[in-house]
Amino acid sequence: MTATKPEMRPTGFAHRLARWIDWIVVALILAVLVVVSVTVTGFLTEYNISNLLLQSSYIGILAIGEAFVLITGGIDLSSPAIMAMGAVVGAGYIVAHPNQLVLGILIMVVIGVACGIVNGLLVAYVKLVPFIATLATSTLLGGLALWITHSASIAGLPNSFLNLAGSLGSIPIPVIVFAVVIGLSYILLAKTVLGRHIFYIGVNARAARVASISVERTQVMAYAISGLSAGIAAVVLTAILGTATAAMGQGTIQLAIISAAVIGGVSIYGGVGSIPGVVLGTLLLTLIGNVMSLNNVSYFTTYMVKGAVIVVAVSLDRFRRLK
Amino acid sequence: MSGKALLELRHISKHFAGSQALSDVSIELNQGEVLGLVGANGAGKSTLMNVLGGVITKDAGSILIDGHEISLTSPSAADRAGIAFVHQEPALFSMLTVAENMFVTDYPGKWGWIDRARMVEACARHLHTVDSQLDPNTLARDIGIGDSQLIEIARALSQQARIVLFDEPTSSLTVHEKERLFEIIRSLKNSGTGVIYISHFLDEVLDICDRVVVLRNGKVVAKSPVSEMSMARLVEEMLGRQLESTRQSGRRAGDVVLQVESLSRGNVLRNVSFTLHENEVVGLWGLLGSGRSELFRALTGLDPIDRGHIRMRIGGELRPITPGNFLSRAGYVTENRRDDGLFAKMSLRPNVTAASLWNVIRSRLRFIDQAGERHVAEEVMQSLAIKASGPEALAETLSGGNQQKVILGKWLQRQPTVILMDEPTRGVDVGAKAEIHRLIGELADQGTSILIATSEIEELMSLSDRVLVISRGHIVTDITRDRVEQESLMRFAMGEA
Ligand SMILES: Nc1ncnc2c1ncn2[C@@H]1O[C@H](COP(=O)(O)OP(=O)(O)OP(=O)(O)O)[C@@H](O)[C@H]1O
Ligand SMILES: [Mg+2]
């Protein structure tokens, strides 16, 4: 029995508001956009916009991967660490073999998928709690990345690689990669059997098992997808930064990607979420960060605002469940 | 008249997105009266009880107790007003014990300390009133739905309320517990308590109620003393039509499709052996705790087994199969729809296709054909008469009986060779039940082998070609239907044979 006591079914104001919550997020983004572009000097410059999009791209790619795991009812706390790991190993390889660019990129992606699969196996078959399993792999990978790099950043990447952060026409390549990831993951989640299975196990794993859906295999796939997204993000972020360091996986990235997913309507309780939502959540979040840095908001205020945003996001999730 | 009524509901209305659940419902309940509330699935019975139990708020109308208007804005308000509520779906905290669940809103003790000994003792006493031998220290996740229902009943009775609402209290009980409950209701009545009793077992309603109110599509369509009510009229008022009888025609069983040998699991299942054939409906009969549901759970790998062999016909030949692989080739309607049946937070469409997604795959890339899927959902809705706003209605917003139909629809879509059904018509109204019986018969005619556990003797007799009687984890008899007599079934089940 996984029940709760008969819960109050709110039928008043809260209930009505809950129904509109997703539109409220969209409206909020638009409102912030309008206000900001009018009032904040330097917002509407080409430099800032492309900066904003670049930042959204890798946060968004990570958040999309996270969403797959969250929807199964799990959580992946290791994607930034996986990203850093892929980045330092791949970048190291490219620096050593500048003419084997494709292989280097492939290394980053494969490391991502492999680490994701390990997470998935730990959760699905060793039956570790997702929170613990991925926290452990995250710590392990973080240490490993520091050890490999001796805490130094890997510089000297060839221009052929750095060009990946350039533009195709007037659109930054990372943004194009982001768009492709959005498209493919949307199809995967909303249209395919795997995507459906991810929802089934998130909504009711026991019922899924009875319907002979392999809960374990689906979990492994979800963590592998999250790892894949971390691998792709490794390529993108390394190109943007021009270097790879173990520190790429530290700081507030982990919180940023979870809040982006949750603001975008993915439930941390599993079973609910969509890719367009995650994209919107990412945009709103990076927008807030961008505006604060343009206004020279202090370092610790930025932290406080980001913390507040997470509280709001998780409360929104709780709220949505009232629908 | 209105001054004397214990409870009076006046012009109650309730609207949900997509449906008018109650419109202008007026009902009165007197002291020492048992009022039957009947209606088809989705008629609004539970909604009305939820209003009375303070679980949902009404849109319009008033509620009076002893002639004074009261406001029921929360379950605790209903509690204070002297209303106890036995919910249709017993909901327990799985990681708490039976005793902790029973007192979850009101732990015995002082200054925030819980008096454990007193709690366990009181729990055992309350359980005793419903003749339950359950250990108060069992974890809720380890008990079946029948026992959950008994706990729910015991909890409500412990409140010593003036008004007790029973929403399908017997849907998971077997004969013995039912009899005990009816005794309790009669004594409540004698002590002046007012009782509202909801059930799809119309014979129970005619037996223990004084008056009956019929709801159809959220409206009261009939009110009458039971003495002036017949079964046939009750059905007609409920459904708005008469019910054709569905006696199953004789079938000829085919080859063996499932062979189970010496299946054992602790004391719960002891050397269970039986076979199932093609074109056959086999009834599994036993009391609560006899091992019925446990047999299903062991076969399907949901519970571990100590020993035993299962063989299934695969590609024309009987082959050994492990419990872990059982479900990939069979269907299983579980006893508890909420925990392992329904995808509550999903719409009806993915619910009915969950066990047969391959039927709606469009390309080699395993894309789901959404239009095809919607079409399947619409067909299921129609063939099982599911009352919902459409294929996109959230499963959790359907009434209990309609949720059960969704789960059945899910397995009917799959057309497995063997299908296990644990109380497949639990909470389903008489009209839909007849329809489901017809579908089960059709399925068997087409070759499917069906093992069906039911606590309803009429259902067992009208569906099964053969009956297995299980008692204390052991199959005690295996007889064909024409040799079944009701009394002997009872005797077998009690282990007296
Ligand atoms: N939370 C909800 N949201 C939307 N519709 C709802 C909700 N709860 C109930 N309904 C609808 O209200 C109607 C009445 O439901 P109710 O549960 O009262 O039926 P019922 O008479 O108890 O049926 P059953 O015999 O199947 O238990 C149904 O059509 C149901 O779909
Ligand atoms: Mg009901």
Side-chain angles (χ1 to χ4, degrees), chain A residues 9, chain B residues 16-22 39-48 50 88 167-168 198 200 215 337 387-388 396-403 427-429:
Chain A
R9 240 180 218 297
Chain B
F16 287 115
S19 69
Q20 186 72 33
L22 296 171
N41 294 133
K45 305 179 297 294
S46 296
T47 305
L48 190 61
N50 282 329
Q88 179 171 12
D167 194 350
E168 300 193 34
I198 298 178
H200 288 295
L215 280 182
R337 58 177 162 251
K387 190 181 172 209
E396 66 180 349
T397 67
L398 301 194
S399 77
N402 283 303
Q403 293 178 354
V428 166
D429 71 47

Side-chain angles (χ1 to χ4, degrees), chain A residues 1-12 15 19 187-213 217 270-272 320-323, chain B residues 14 54-57 73-75 87 90-94 101 104 140-141 148 155 302 327-328 332 334 336 338-346 349-350 353-355 357 361 366-368 370 373 411 414:
Chain A
M1 310 271 294
T2 55
T4 49
K5 270 277 147 185
E7 216 174 315
M8 278 289 287
R9 240 180 218 297
T11 41
H15 190 59
R19 241 180 261 157
I187 292 171
L188 188 60
L189 188 63
K191 308 275 181 204
T192 69
V193 172
L194 175 63
R196 178 63 67 77
H197 283 180
I198 284 173
F199 279 103
Y200 281 140
I201 71 167
V203 170
N204 188 341
R206 289 175 59 174
R209 200 181 295 285
V210 172
S212 70
I213 292 162
R217 209 177 315 154
V272 181
R320 271 199 199 88
R321 280 153 49 88
L322 300 180
K323 246 195 283 203
Chain B
K14 176 71 195 178
V55 181
I56 60 176
T57 51
T73 47
S74 69
H87 294 266
L92 302 174
F93 292 101
S94 56
N101 267 292
V104 81
R141 63 156 187 216
S148 312
R155 187 188 52 75
L302 295 182
L327 282 173
S328 63
Y332 178 23
T334 55
N336 186 336
R338 222 191 33 196
D339 287 350
D340 40 28
L342 204 67
F343 297 100
K345 297 255 174 235
M346 291 174 104
R349 174 172 53 85
T353 55
L357 263 186
I361 289 175
R366 312 236 294 161
F367 280 21
I368 295 171
Q370 315 251 347
E373 193 179 29
W411 293 111
R414 188 186 229 192

Side-chain angles (χ1 to χ4, degrees), chain B residues 361-367:
Chain B
I361 289 175
R362 204 175 38 196
S363 66
R364 241 181 294 136
L365 284 172
R366 312 236 294 161
F367 280 21

Side-chain angles (χ1 to χ4, degrees), chain B residues 2-120:
Chain B
S2 66
K4 276 192 305 195
L6 170 60
L7 170 73
E8 212 182 323
L9 303 178
R10 289 185 185 162
H11 312 294
I12 307 278
S13 293
K14 176 71 195 178
H15 179 84
F16 287 115
S19 69
Q20 186 72 33
L22 296 171
S23 42
D24 198 19
V25 172
S26 297
I27 287 177
E28 56 290 322
L29 173 71
N30 297 310
Q31 280 200 0
E33 184 181 45
V34 183
L35 178 67
L37 186 59
V38 301
N41 294 133
K45 305 179 297 294
S46 296
T47 305
L48 190 61
M49 291 307 101
N50 282 329
V51 167
L52 265 179
V55 181
I56 60 176
T57 51
K58 56 189 181 337
D59 296 342
S62 49
I63 301 170
L64 289 78
I65 290 187
D66 297 327
H68 302 292
E69 179 156 358
I70 55 161
S71 118
L72 299 171
T73 47
S74 69
S76 53
D79 196 13
R80 281 193 301 276
I83 300 175
F85 188 0
V86 176
H87 294 266
Q88 179 171 12
E89 306 285 340
L92 302 174
F93 292 101
S94 56
M95 296 311 288
L96 297 185
T97 65
V98 169
E100 286 163 344
N101 267 292
M102 186 172 282
F103 295 103
V104 81
T105 52
D106 185 19
Y107 285 116
K110 263 191 204 140
W111 303 312
W113 288 96
I114 296 170
D115 185 344
R116 282 211 147 260
R118 210 171 97 213
M119 180 170 79
V120 168

